[in-house]
Amino acid sequence: MRYVGIDWSTSSGHQVCLLAEANSNQVQAQRTFEHSAEGLAGLGHWLIEKTAAPAGEICVAIERPDGAVVETLLELGFRVFSINPKQADRFRDRFSPAGAKDDRRDALVLASALRTDLACFREITVDDPTIVELRGYSRLAEELKSEQLRQGNRIREQLLRYYPQALELTSEIHATWFLELWALAPTPKKAKRLRRSSVERVLRANRIRRWEPDQVRTILRQPALSVAAGTTEAAVVHIRSLAERLLVVNRQYKECLKQIDALVAKLAAATATSEDREPGQDDEQSDVAILNSLPGIGRINLATLLASAHKPLSERNYHTLRLMTGVAPVTRQSGRRRSVLMRRACNKSLRNALFHWARVAAQRDPTFKARYAALRAKGKSHPHAL
């Protein structure tokens, strides 16, 4: 095997270091390649030319598990290994205790560490196209949800200035039905002329059953706040701008959820018809079916787990799942001193998915609810118990 280290960059180019032999740290060649189609293609051809070896016998170390560099090398048949930047920083101390750092040295450190400590690296494999697409949609759904909450909070602040009674209708200010209702009665003055048929049409179109039209009109017609001249007009302009953006986000989020459902169904169907299934294994034992049967999982959490933890799930690697989701604590012990801390180095999306999964399960499922109550009785905090 031949070992290569790449210190990747998007501005100054990717620094590549090729070791001369498999049992030494002697450098055979170093070169910088631009972040472009020609540069990345040239990187692969240059490695094969310098080593005179097939791509499958060349191991490449890099500090990230995805990106154009990784995907290009995998497409060309190279074996690619990733490592956490914190671990790479520790390996750097072996070459320079004084803390010297530059791109050429970093590429050498990665190549040398891969040669001597292969177990510290994670080999990257090509994911199924459905998994890649599902990962993209799950991340997009997370971004759109954050945007909904952010814009909804801004609308809440404006309504508190002149129209607080409208907030009694819902806590989800970003909801489409609430925005449509506000457009019919953007001020307390217009709420007094709001017709019952108009409110009923909005509620029926959005399938809102917890409110009757007369109840909505009564709430919106409560006595208005006394505000300075121009305050109401300024707030209405601000909310109208935010509402237009939110309606677009809501539509995109709805379409994103449909795509997630379709991809999960496609993944479940592909698993059911896979030729790699063991004899006698039925559809109920697929990853999708198992996860989907768990209380409180939800479509977003399901998509996040399938997309971001596909490999440890398929390998039934319980310990890796605990590390990736941040459930496994970090123990620090020296002599008689011992402390157990929350794990920070993890996949944040997976940790959020597990947190919300446990939160809903503790509310809806009797078994989870009893377990949560027992942990709280022992003095555990809310997030610790979850």
Side-chain angles (χ1 to χ4, degrees):
M1 307 299 294
R2 301 297 297 275
Y3 297 97
V4 180
I6 297 180
D7 184 60
W8 69 276
S9 173
T10 56
S11 55
S12 59
H14 308 293
Q15 183 67 39
V16 183
C17 175
L18 170 64
L19 298 184
E21 299 177 2
N23 56 357
S24 73
N25 283 341
Q26 182 181 356
V27 178
Q28 176 180 345
Q30 285 191 334
R31 184 176 169 183
T32 302
F33 292 88
E34 294 182 355
H35 186 76
S36 62
E38 295 79 6
L40 296 182
L43 166 60
H45 297 314
W46 180 78
L47 290 175
I48 294 176
E49 178 184 351
K50 287 294 182 180
T51 59
E57 296 182 4
I58 302 175
C59 300
V60 181
I62 193 169
E63 289 186 14
R64 62 176 301 171
D66 51 17
V69 180
V70 173
E71 293 170 1
T72 300
L73 292 174
L74 289 175
E75 186 70 21
L76 294 174
F78 293 90
R79 296 184 64 187
V80 184
F81 298 80
S82 69
I83 190 171
N84 188 285
K86 280 190 175 182
Q87 290 178 286
D89 185 57
R90 302 300 183 271
F91 284 122
R92 189 183 298 116
D93 294 338
R94 299 194 305 191
F95 285 76
S96 176
K101 183 183 185 304
D102 59 69
D103 294 346
R104 294 167 63 89
R105 187 190 302 272
D106 288 348
L108 172 60
V109 168
L110 289 171
S112 174
L114 182 62
R115 182 182 68 85
T116 59
D117 297 271
L118 182 62
C120 294
F121 288 76
R122 177 167 64 94
E123 185 168 6
I124 304 172
T125 57
V126 179
D127 289 329
D128 184 271
T130 306
I131 294 295
V132 176
E133 193 174 359
L134 182 61
R135 186 180 301 127
Y137 275 108
S138 64
R139 292 175 179 174
L140 177 60
E142 187 176 354
E143 293 176 6
L144 292 174
K145 190 64 177 178
S146 298
E147 185 68 17
Q148 283 181 334
L149 296 176
R150 183 163 46 250
Q151 303 293 358
N153 288 336
R154 293 178 179 176
I155 292 178
R156 182 191 304 274
E157 292 300 318
Q158 295 298 322
L159 290 174
L160 287 172
R161 296 175 61 188
Y162 80 103
Y163 205 3
Q165 58 266 38
L167 298 176
E168 298 180 17
L169 294 174
T170 181
S171 59
E172 297 181 351
I173 309 301
H174 61 271
T176 299
W177 74 270
F178 181 80
L179 298 177
E180 293 178 354
L181 188 62
W182 177 87
L184 294 175
T187 64
K189 184 178 180 180
K190 291 188 177 181
K192 294 181 179 180
R193 301 194 300 268
L194 185 61
R195 293 183 297 180
R196 187 182 189 281
S197 59
S198 300
V199 178
E200 186 178 10
R201 184 171 60 253
V202 171
L203 297 179
R204 184 179 299 174
N206 293 275
R207 299 180 180 179
I208 304 300
R209 298 183 177 88
R210 62 180 178 271
W211 291 111
E212 294 293 334
D214 292 334
Q215 293 176 318
V216 173
R217 296 171 70 203
T218 300
I219 291 175
L220 295 181
R221 290 176 177 179
Q222 295 180 34
L225 293 177
S226 298
V227 297
T231 300
T232 300
E233 290 76 7
V236 168
V237 171
H238 198 160
I239 294 177
R240 184 174 291 115
S241 174
L242 293 171
E244 290 179 0
R245 282 176 273 174
L246 257 178
L247 289 174
V248 175
V249 173
N250 290 346
R251 176 175 53 79
Q252 293 176 344
Y253 184 70
K254 187 176 181 180
E255 294 174 356
C256 185
L257 293 182
K258 290 181 179 179
Q259 291 296 328
I260 287 176
D261 291 340
L263 290 171
V264 169
K266 180 180 179 181
L267 192 62
T271 305
T273 58
S274 174
E275 298 179 357
D276 298 331
R277 300 177 66 83
E278 298 178 0
Q281 186 179 12
D282 55 30
D283 180 55
E284 293 183 352
Q285 293 174 312
S286 68
D287 293 343
V288 178
I290 292 173
L291 288 174
N292 206 23
S293 68
L294 296 171
I297 185 67
R299 56 165 64 156
I300 299 298
N301 296 334
L302 173 64
T304 302
L305 286 167
L306 289 173
S308 300
H310 175 69
K311 187 173 181 180
L313 279 173
S314 61
E315 295 174 353
R316 301 297 187 264
N317 193 333
Y318 170 68
H319 296 290
T320 298
L321 275 173
R322 295 181 71 240
L323 295 175
M324 291 179 64
T325 55
V327 175
V330 177
T331 302
R332 295 178 179 175
Q333 184 170 355
S334 178
R336 296 182 179 180
R337 300 183 60 182
R338 183 176 184 271
S339 61
V340 181
L341 307 174
M342 177 181 176
R343 179 174 295 274
R344 303 290 180 180
C346 64
N347 187 308
K348 301 301 187 296
S349 297
L350 284 175
R351 182 164 68 184
N352 290 336
L354 235 66
F355 179 87
H356 293 296
W357 173 12
R359 177 181 59 80
V360 176
Q363 295 173 351
R364 306 289 179 84
D365 185 76
T367 303
F368 282 88
K369 185 182 295 185
R371 176 61 176 161
Y372 172 81
L375 290 170
R376 292 287 281 164
K378 292 181 180 179
K380 305 296 183 183
S381 65
H382 172 67
H384 193 173
L386 289 182

